Amino acid sequence: GAGVSQSPSNKVTEKGKDVELRCDPISGHTALYWYRQSLGQGLEFLIYFQGNSAPDKSGLPSDRFSAERTGGSVSTLTIQRTQQEDSAVYLCASSPMRGGAYNEQFFGPGTRLTVL
Amino acid sequence: GNSVTQMEGPVTLSEEAFLTINCTYTATGYPSLFWYVQYPGEGLQLLLKATKADDKGSNKGFEATYRKETTSFHLEKGSVQVSDSAVYFCALSRSGSARQLTFGSGTQLTVLP
């Protein structure tokens, strides 16, 4: 079946502009995660959605970052007033969350964001 | 807080050599441990996992054992192939509802023919 998809695959923007990154999780997966992969910081957790619960925003680096998940499916990560340090690959993952000790996270290909 | 420390790279080996990539962790409670792999031009994929102490995860000839006494989860393979060239990430997820992954810094492996 289809995996996690993300769009765009590449985004180049100017400093100060807003950007929106989209994630389409695997159908039926109730959990959705955003991570950021950057040269200086490695792979970092940003935000987590699970069903209708309030999202866990503990990883968002500043209030310029926000995310929504509409209808329990598609998610959009928005970065306002982008800065050069926001340049990174933004990864989305989804998980079935069937209970038990562990539910595998399936990753999308990522969106490479470059802020000039 | 939770953290993962893994062996600095890059690592370059000849084909059929033995591979070890060290990984240690700091976590409260009883985390689950993982190795993820990122092949060139591809997304992150789960390679193997272990969810409790003394469990051994294995896949594609790779193995790692969850050692609670040494807080380690070292990745090993007896005979690497050129196709194993990739970046390897050690990660943990704590028990609880969120279960987001905390990753190590990644180790670049290059296998030469």
Side-chain angles (χ1 to χ4, degrees):
Chain A
V4 177
S5 60
Q6 294 185 244
S7 60
S9 55
N10 279 285
K11 176 72 177 179
V12 180
T13 191
E14 293 179 348
K15 178 181 172 181
K17 301 283 190 183
D18 297 352
V19 295
E20 285 189 351
L21 312 180
R22 177 187 168 104
C23 172
D24 284 86
I26 293 172
S27 177
H29 282 193
T30 57
L32 187 147
Y33 305 78
W34 284 98
Y35 296 87
R36 177 169 72 172
Q37 186 174 20
S38 57
L39 279 177
Q41 302 297 323
L43 265 161
E44 308 169 274
F45 163 75
L46 297 177
I47 188 169
Y48 159 73
F49 295 89
Q50 167 55 17
N52 295 321
S53 302
D56 177 350
K57 304 179 183 180
S58 60
L60 294 178
S62 78
D63 59 8
R64 295 186 296 104
F65 287 72
S66 62
E68 291 185 336
R69 189 178 186 193
T70 53
S73 181
V74 172
S75 178
T76 303
L77 177 69
T78 301
I79 309 173
Q80 296 178 309
R81 304 181 303 282
T82 52
Q83 303 294 312
Q84 288 182 331
E85 62 263 28
D86 299 335
S87 296
V89 176
Y90 289 82
L91 297 173
C92 176
S94 70
S95 174
M97 292 299 280
R98 295 191 190 97
Y102 171 67
N103 290 277
E104 180 176 348
Q105 294 183 28
F106 295 82
F107 283 81
T111 293
R112 181 174 297 278
L113 174 66
T114 303
V115 182
L116 300 177
Chain B
N2 298 329
S3 67
V4 176
T5 303
Q6 71 179 95
M7 180 173 149
E8 292 284 333
V11 174
T12 302
L13 295 173
S14 297
E15 203 164 25
E16 299 184 359
F18 183 86
L19 169 71
T20 300
I21 302 178
N22 289 338
C23 172
T24 57
Y25 68 90
T26 302
T28 55
Y30 302 95
S32 296
L33 302 173
F34 313 92
W35 278 98
Y36 276 80
V37 59
Q38 191 170 33
Y39 297 103
E42 298 185 17
L44 273 172
Q45 304 173 26
L46 178 65
L47 179 60
L48 54 83
K49 68 180 187 293
T51 57
K52 62 182 187 296
D54 299 325
D55 268 2
K56 179 186 283 188
S58 60
N59 186 24
K60 299 182 180 180
F62 291 89
E63 294 183 340
T65 301
Y66 188 143
R67 301 286 188 200
K68 190 166 176 61
E69 64 275 14
T70 54
T71 61
S72 65
F73 193 55
H74 304 321
L75 182 68
E76 296 182 336
K77 186 173 185 181
S79 176
V80 293
Q81 305 300 312
V82 173
S83 57
D84 294 327
S85 297
V87 182
Y88 292 82
F89 293 91
C90 186
L92 68 81
S93 72
R94 59 180 175 82
S95 56
S97 61
R99 298 180 181 158
Q100 67 263 30
L101 293 163
T102 300
F103 287 91
S105 56
T107 302
Q108 171 79 56
L109 170 67
T110 301
V111 180
L112 302 175

